[in-house]
């Protein structure tokens, strides 16, 4: 038991539910000991020498003495390989059928007894002992996988396996889901097991709520994404490489993945970062765009108390002229913490409250937890038993409902890996809609069962349907949150077919962007937590989840006025902008930190609202291209090593470079610029990149720079839309994409392309159409012209 587990144990055991948690945890351990006996003796296996090959569309199958490998290059350039019969399907990550194989890619003999598949965008070479190498069309190696190794129990059971890969010496690793220590993943071990860290977390805590076997690797040779499609518990050990000095040899970077079971199959996507993310979301699904109101500022608190307090908070925003789009209600609005209920004493007319707030432009968003009280008479449990064939809840090997302890006490858990359960659960959201809620956030869905020791989750021997295949929690755990998000999203879509659902989930897996986004979870209050917030958003975006954000101010404790303000200023430029705190963490309204903080927080809120059309554009472009709203500085220049080392700034789309203040007492900070001209939006001073500049960062603002030539949709005076254009550098042109808000339904946004250039009469802006350039449909305001 480590320090974090000890703290969590003391909290749980010291609570009123401690004895129940201890009892269920011991019960789960006994179940696992009975149903998952020790593995016993194992046989190690490697592929052995190549024995032949059979071509098939897009590649073929290479047979070895003790294994076989299927290799396929698809029409989009993505590479798939699977060992021992592993195919792309079934998969929780893929969105429908995998792409068609590339008919021009064929399997052919290679040197030294190996084989290769050559295509327009990538070459895949298979060595005679089972190594797999992915190369650029020019023959430069991006990734080399050594022959894998399996450990198979002599008495039968799932085989463990290990796969070691090598990348160029200068490569840098990103991804693996939400990691507080990122965005660059340094040498170390990273676990693949979605976990509630228990109360709060900081940069040194791992794993967290969203883990994915997705690596984005950036090197001089190129960018590639590697995804091992396996939902089991595992561990990734990364080691960054070193370049040899003088005539010394390079030491490649390495990645070793060890999984406790499941198939050994992998997807690799190569190209520029933009191409890689586009192909990745083509495989795993387009990110759903949140409604435009969900791109505005939102306020949450665990412990609002009652309707009067909600009204007081909303009135406080209005009285101080602070924009607000939504209020989130946590578990304290439920009756005895039971999902799909309302405490009628504290919230006697929730639909009336929702209607009243919506008339003032504020939506209500509801928390939804998966755990259902096991107590007799609970309506949801009774419905799940009666309305779903075989029952809706996770069971053990003796066909008994598995129980855990969460906020309502002893609970059972829906098996979201069963399509019938997902359909049943989705219909339950009708109650939330009837209460007036406009969206939901899923919490505690790793899933969590309080435990005074070990993993706070279900027994690993718990049985799941797994789409009819059957299996246990070892395979289902990491996709539990993903499957719950699917159930909620599809249910909301059926219930309100004309409205685009708003849903975000604390836990998930590869492909979760199809159903919504996520948030940081219970990030610790403190400057390290502030830095971790940025790491999480950047890392999740590079895994294909563009909509996320932290608990502004941190979840626990009481932030200082300076820390709160700097967190607030960062949050104003992140996709999900939400304050949230624990029940005992004090108030987090901007006016609670003094007049100075209130004035500067108001400026951040006003700027966020001014940029709302730009966030709408980024959301719609993410849906089409897969590009995250928040991007690392190297996004457009991955070959720039100085930018690859920059972790304290980010690009917001292509137009803005945001440099948050992440350390106390800072009033100036260094900012690394990508190439080109950049304008400080506060002073309109121009700077030339690449390079580093020192900019003022007073309490009133953080440094934000605009790319020369950028065309940005904003809200002008009176809320009318306009185009903010930053003057191109002399002799250059610029431009930008704009997507007017298509509304909260399912209409596709119309992408408008604008160009900017110098003309005799100044900066000229034109909209590009099939018939040629025309005048912009919105008013234009040019900035950066002295």
């Amino acid at each position: 038991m480590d320090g974090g587990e000890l703290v969590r144990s003391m909290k749980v055991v010291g609570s009123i539910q401690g004895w129940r948690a201890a009892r269920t945890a011991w019960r789960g351990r006994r179940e696992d000991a009975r149903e998952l006996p020790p593995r016993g003796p194992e046989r190690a296996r490697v592929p052995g020498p190549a024995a032949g090959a059979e071509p098939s569309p897009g590649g073929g199958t290479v047979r070895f003495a003790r294994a076989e490998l299927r290799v396929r290059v698809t029409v989009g350039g993505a590479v798939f390989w699977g060992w021992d019969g592993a195919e792309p399907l079934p998969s929780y990550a893929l969105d429908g059928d995998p792409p068609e194989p590339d008919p021009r890619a064929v399997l052919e003999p290679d040197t030294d007894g190996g084989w290769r598949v050559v295509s327009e965008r990538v070459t895949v070479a298979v060595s005679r002992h089972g190594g797999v190498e992915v190369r650029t069309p020019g023959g430069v190696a991006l990734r080399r996988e050594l022959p894998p190794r399996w450990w198979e129990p002599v008495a039968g059971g799932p085989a463990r396996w290990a796969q070691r890969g090598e990348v160029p010496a200068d490569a840098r690793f990103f991804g693996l889901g939400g990691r507080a220590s990122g965005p660059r993943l340094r040498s170390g071990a990273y676990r693949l097991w979605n976990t509630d860290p228990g109360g709060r977390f900081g940069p040194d805590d791992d794993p967290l709520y969203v883990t994915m076997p997705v690596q984005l690797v950036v090197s001089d040779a190129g960018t590639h994404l590697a995804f091992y499609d396996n939902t089991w518990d595992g561990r990734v050990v990364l080691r960054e490489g070193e370049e040899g000095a003088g005539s010394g040899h390079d030491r490649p970077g390495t990645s070793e993945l060890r999984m406790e079971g499941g198939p050994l199959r992998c997807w690799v996507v190569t190209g520029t970062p933009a191409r890689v993310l586009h192909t990745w979301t083509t495989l795993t699904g387009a990110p759903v765009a949140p409604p435009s109101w969900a791109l505005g500022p939102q306020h949450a608190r665990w412990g609002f108390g009652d309707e009067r307090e909600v009204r007081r908070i909303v009135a406080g925003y209005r009285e101080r002229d602070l924009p607000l789009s939504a209020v989130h209600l946590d578990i304290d609005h439920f009756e005895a913490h039971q999902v799909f209920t309302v405490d009628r004493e504290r919230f006697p007319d929730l639909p009336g409250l929702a209607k009243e707030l919506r008339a003032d432009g504020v939506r209500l968003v509801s928390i939804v937890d998966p755990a259902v009280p096991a107590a007799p008479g609970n309506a949801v449990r009774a419905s799940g038993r009666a309305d779903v064939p075989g029952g809706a809840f996770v069971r053990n090997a003796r066909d008994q409902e598995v129980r855990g302890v969460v906020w309502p006490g002893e609970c059972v858990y829906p098996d979201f890996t069963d399509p019938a359960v997902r359909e049943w659960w989705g219909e339950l959201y009708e109650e939330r809609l009837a209460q007036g809620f406009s969206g939901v956030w899923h919490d505690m869905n790793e899933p969590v069962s309080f435990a005074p020791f070990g993993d706070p989750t279900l027994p690993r021997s718990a049985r799941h349907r797994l789409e009819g295949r059957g299996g246990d929690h070892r395979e289902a755990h990491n996709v539990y949150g993903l499957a719950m998000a699917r159930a909620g999203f599809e249910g909301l879509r059926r219930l309100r077919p004309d409205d685009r659902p708003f849903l975000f989930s604390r836990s998930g897996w590869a492909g979760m962007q199809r159903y919504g986004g996520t948030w940081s979870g219970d990030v610790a209050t403190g400057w390290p937590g502030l830095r971790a917030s940025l790491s999480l958003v950047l890392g999740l975006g590079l895994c294909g989840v563009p909509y996320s954000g932290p608990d502004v101010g941190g979840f626990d404790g009481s932030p200082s006025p300076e820390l709160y303000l700097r967190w607030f200023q960062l949050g104003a430029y992140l996709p999900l902008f939400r304050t949230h705190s624990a029940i005992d963490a004090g108030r987090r309204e901007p006016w609670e930190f003094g007049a100075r903080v209130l004035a500067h927080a108001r400026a951040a809120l006003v700027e966020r609202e001014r940029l709302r059309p730009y966030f709408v554009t980024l959301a719609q472009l993410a849906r089409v291209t897969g590009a995250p709203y928040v991007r690392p500085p190297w996004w457009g220049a991955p070959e720039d090593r100085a930018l690859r080392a920059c972790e304290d700034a980010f690009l917001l789309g292509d137009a803005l470079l945001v440099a948050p203040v992440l350390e106390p007492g800072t009033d100036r900070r260094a900012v690394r610029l990508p190439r080109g001209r950049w304008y400080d939006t506060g002073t309109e001073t121009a700077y030339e990149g690449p390079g580093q500049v020192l900019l003022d960062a007073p309490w009133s603002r953080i440094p934000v720079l605009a790319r020369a030539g950028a065309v940005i949709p904003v809200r002008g005076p009176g809320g009318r839309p306009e185009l903010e254009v930053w003057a191109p550098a002399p002799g250059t042109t610029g431009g930008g994409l704009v997507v007017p808000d298509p509304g909260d339904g399912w209409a596709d946004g119309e992408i408008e392309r604008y160009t900017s250039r110098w003309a005799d009469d100044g900066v000229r802006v034109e909209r590009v159409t099939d018939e040629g350039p025309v005048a912009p449909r919105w008013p234009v305001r040019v900035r950066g012209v002295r």
Side-chain angles (χ1 to χ4, degrees), residues 589-613:
E589 293 77 49
W591 55 88
E592 297 291 343
F593 294 86
R596 184 185 184 192
V597 169
L598 174 60
H600 301 327
R602 179 186 293 111
L605 284 168
V606 168
E607 180 63 7
R608 172 63 176 236
E609 286 298 274
R610 194 181 76 88
L611 290 173
R612 179 84 72 89

Side-chain angles (χ1 to χ4, degrees), residues 613-614 616-618 620-621 624 711-713 721-723 735-742 748-755 765-770 774-780:
Y614 186 48
V616 169
T617 291
L618 295 178
Q620 293 296 323
L621 292 178
V624 176
V711 178
I712 306 173
E722 69 176 27
L723 298 178
L737 301 177
V738 175
V739 184
D741 189 351
D748 292 333
E750 178 186 355
I751 300 177
E752 300 177 357
R753 182 186 172 200
Y754 289 88
T755 60
V765 180
E766 297 172 318
R767 182 163 61 95
V768 179
T769 70
D770 293 339
V774 299
R777 66 173 64 181
W778 293 355
V780 173

Side-chain angles (χ1 to χ4, degrees), residues 48 69 86 196 219 253 316 321 352 390 401 413 459 468-470 487 548 590 659 664 678 697 699:
L69 172 68
D196 174 13
S219 68
D321 197 25
E401 291 176 346
Y413 297 79
R469 295 180 288 109
S548 67
W678 295 84
W699 271 43

